[in-house]
């Protein structure tokens, strides 16, 4: 099946202060000197988005947020809207990350509402799905991610730019990774679920893999069928580590 250009996105999570912008600058300079064979994005915490945007200006590195509220504005203390992300220079946003689902109780319906908000603001959503260790051990991984695709991807995504990120929850930050066969099984199932949900609109959007991706395993993971890129956590905080993954794409 025809794939769009691979996307390698870095999720800094709740990490990074002003001094960390040097890593973003080093990344941008390296990719200017030797362009990547994939799209590259960084998603810093909200406090750094505008400053990182200035750092990455005129570079090939795209800028994203880590979450947005479903509403455009209002009495939602501590939240950030999709329009606010656009206003400070973001073009992408991560939605439905397992840490949001588990820690903040976000449901598939909540995620779908946020996707609608992101699309309305002109952001490209990266929609996260993935099973827990208990679900994996119960043989429910494919069932869980297929259900999450059906519930988290609104019909309005058809024809729009977006990505789905498969992150087995038990592999995030643990150093554990599924086998290549397990990754392929789930990615193929996710593709089928995307096509069922969106028709032709689900055929080419990249499916990123996330969960302990590092320079040493990136090449073999990115070569797996239906893996259209990577959503990278800790390894994206250092330019050299993140470049090792980018160069593997």
């Amino acid at each position: 099946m025809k794939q769009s250009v691979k996307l390698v996105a870095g999720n800094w999570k709740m990490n990074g202060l002003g001094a960390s912008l040097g890593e973003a600058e080093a990344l941008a300079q390296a990719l200017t000197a030797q362009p990547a064979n994939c799209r590259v994005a960084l998603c810093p915490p909200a406090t750094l988005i505008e400053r990182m945007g200035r750092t990455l200006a005129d570079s090939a590195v795209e800028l994203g947020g880590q979450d947005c509220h479903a509403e455009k504005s209002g009495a939602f203390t501590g939240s950030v809207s999709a329009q606010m992300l656009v206003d400070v220079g973001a073009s992408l946003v991560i939605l439905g990350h397992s840490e949001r689902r588990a820690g903040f109780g976000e449901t598939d319906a909540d995620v779908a509402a946020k996707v609608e908000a992101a699309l309305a603001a002109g952001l490209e959503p990266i929609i996260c799905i993935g099973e827990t260790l208990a679900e994996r051990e119960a043989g429910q991984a494919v069932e869980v991610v297929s259900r999450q695709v059906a519930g988290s991807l609104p019909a309005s995504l058809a024809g729009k730019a977006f990505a789905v990120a498969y992150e087995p929850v038990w592999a995030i930050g643990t150093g554990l990774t599924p086998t290549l066969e397990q990754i392929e099984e789930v990615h193929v199932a996710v593709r089928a679920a995307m096509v069922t949900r969106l028709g032709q609109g689900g055929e080419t959007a990249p499916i990123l893999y996330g969960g302990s991706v590092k320079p040493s395993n990136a090449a073999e993971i990115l070569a797996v069928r239906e893996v259209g890129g990577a959503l990278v956590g800790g390894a994206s905080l250092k330019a050299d580590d993140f470049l090792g993954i980018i160069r593997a794409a």
Side-chain angles (χ1 to χ4, degrees):
M1 184 176 289
K2 183 181 181 297
Q3 288 269 319
S4 52
V5 176
K6 280 185 166 61
L7 168 63
V8 177
N11 176 13
W12 278 22
K13 306 188 180 184
M14 197 175 73
N15 297 292
L17 302 174
S20 310
L21 293 171
E23 296 295 335
E25 183 175 11
L27 178 69
Q29 290 175 346
L31 294 178
T32 297
Q34 183 184 346
N37 293 321
C38 61
R39 293 173 62 199
V40 177
L42 282 176
C43 301
T47 53
L48 287 181
I49 295 175
E50 186 168 19
R51 282 179 285 172
M52 185 176 284
R54 292 196 293 269
T55 298
L56 299 177
D58 302 318
S59 80
V61 184
E62 300 173 53
L63 184 66
Q66 297 178 13
D67 183 44
C68 73
H69 200 278
E71 298 294 333
K72 292 182 179 180
S73 61
F76 305 106
T77 301
S79 296
V80 174
S81 73
Q83 285 81 357
M84 290 173 178
L85 293 177
V86 172
D87 187 53
V88 293
S91 58
L92 307 97
V93 61
I94 298 168
L95 297 172
H97 193 280
S98 65
E99 292 158 4
R100 297 291 310 180
R101 292 178 184 262
F104 296 85
E106 291 187 8
T107 65
D108 290 343
D110 292 332
V111 176
K114 291 184 175 189
V115 172
E116 296 272 24
L119 293 177
L123 289 171
E124 178 178 344
I126 300 172
I127 305 151
C128 301
I129 59 174
E131 83 282 2
T132 64
L133 182 58
E135 290 165 339
R136 161 63 64 177
E137 291 180 339
Q140 297 172 339
V142 167
E143 175 189 344
V144 168
V145 298
S146 298
R147 184 174 68 245
Q148 289 175 331
V149 167
S152 303
L153 275 60
S156 54
L157 276 171
K160 304 287 179 58
F162 73 97
V164 170
Y166 165 57
E167 294 195 305
V169 178
W170 50 274
I172 299 172
T174 63
L176 301 172
T177 53
T179 66
L180 298 180
E181 291 75 18
Q182 288 172 327
I183 293 172
E184 179 175 344
E185 176 191 31
V186 175
H187 276 248
V188 169
V190 170
R191 175 67 68 200
M194 289 166 62
V195 172
T196 297
R197 179 75 182 98
L198 301 173
Q200 190 175 3
E203 290 182 354
T204 57
I207 306 170
L208 317 183
Y209 172 77
S212 298
V213 181
K214 42 191 179 287
S216 60
N217 64 14
E220 60 180 13
I221 290 173
L222 289 165
V224 171
R225 182 161 64 113
E226 290 292 8
V227 173
L231 182 57
V232 183
S236 69
L237 293 169
K238 297 294 184 183
D240 286 346
D241 291 340
F242 197 32
L243 275 168
I245 295 170
I246 292 164
R247 298 302 186 203

